[in-house]
Amino acid sequence: MMEKMIFGRYVPAESVIHRMDPRSKLLIVFLFVCVVFIANNFWTYTLLAIYTFGMVGFSTISPRFLYAGLKPVLWLVIFTLILHVFFTKEGELILDLGLIKIYEEGLRQGIFISLRFFLLILMTSLLTLTTTPIEITDGLENLLNPLKKIKFPVHELALMMSISLRFIPTLMQETDKIMKAQIARGVEFSSGPIKERVQAVVPLLIPLFISSFKRAEELAIAMEARGYRGGEGRTKYRQLSWTSRDTVMIIVLALMSVLLFLLRD
Amino acid sequence: MKLRTIDLTLAAMFVALMAVGANITSFVPFMTVGGVPITLQTFFALLAGLILGARLGAISMTVYAAVGLVGVPVFAKFGAGFSTIISPTFGFILSFIIAAYAAGKIVEKNRTLPAFIAAALTGLVINYVLGTNWMYFAYKLWAAAPDGFTYTMAWLWMVVPLPKDIILAVFAGMMAHRLEKTVLSKGSFSFLRKAA
């Protein structure tokens, strides 16, 4: 559980994509989400698919992990396909089964839009599969730095993210412990009418709140005792390094976007 | 906007509480009503607003969304990752930010039980309105759903969990009030008072 929380969905490996700077990966994902909507015909979708599968190939992530990440959203892809195939009534009729009529345009739209979805999910999953949550947090903090000018608390947000990463497993264990302690004292969680079961949650939640407030206070005192005084002038242990590899990757995506523009109808 | 160290740690704790609440059924397997696992996400989001106050509550929920997006499995069903942005239910996660803010704003001056419950219900309404509209437009725009998918259909979808959520919202209001009266008013938790 602890491992799962700290590393998220990260799959360690030594690939080109893994070694990229989190900033360039974030930029690529944002750009990709935008350019994916340019595609509108066979060739543009083929190009997008080649690019995406190329990236997946470079990442050396096994399809097993990709599938695990895709599973929750995969029904959406299938749903989109079905919705279009059955409800779009344009173009030539290609299949007539009495009640069910499938039109050419519906099939085309269905395949294209679900493919667009599929590629989007693949690329965004790739980011979280090849980058640890801490790296992404560092990258985000760095990319959002300009927002500090408009008084947006970039550093504080990144720090809160890191703190919660550390405390999610702790509070999960705590919940488990409190629950067992209360069962030992005779609290009935599992039986009785709903009203009583909801009331039984109170002896679970009140101690949970108290302990998390206490932890928050202790942590704040510990931080201040060690001299924490906000983001001003803080240095970092983990340094981000932008290499030529990152520049090349961004250029490749930019070239592909230009090509998409030229090929679209 | 000045955040004290205690504000940072408190907001982070609520993110951790949200992570526990989203998957409470995996700790408390019997928190299942009629076969549907309950998530306490809305419950904790409302409490974040009610206890931490409008501003810090909203900040905390923003961090929750961000932590989930960077890949930590804190969303319901241990969901996470950047691909959640495309998911039609992402609107609900975003609505927690505004729901927490609104709930916190309402009880800012008036810290009585009816005000807490009213605030929690307002938060729930925001949660539903934003979440459902987002879901509708997500299907319309990303999935480019054809005309067969109507606005009413999106709302019909949401009728099922509604009673359970109303009960939980009222419960959140009562819980926040109880915490305020029994725990937070005690001397050792005075730091929270300043936060709110």
Side-chain angles (χ1 to χ4, degrees), chain B residues 49-51 102-112 115-117 119:
Chain B
L50 294 175
I51 293 175
K105 204 79 196 162
I106 290 172
V107 294
E108 210 163 59
K109 296 270 144 55
N110 182 2
R111 298 187 83 79
T112 58
F116 271 99
I117 293 175

Side-chain angles (χ1 to χ4, degrees), chain B residues 6 9-10 14 20 22 33 40 48 53 83 88 103 113 119 121 131 151 156 165 189 194:
Chain B
I6 183 73
T9 56
L10 273 173
F14 262 89
V20 172
V33 174
L40 293 182
S83 48
L113 183 60
L121 288 172
Y151 194 63
L156 281 176
D165 279 334
F189 285 105
K194 275 174 259 151

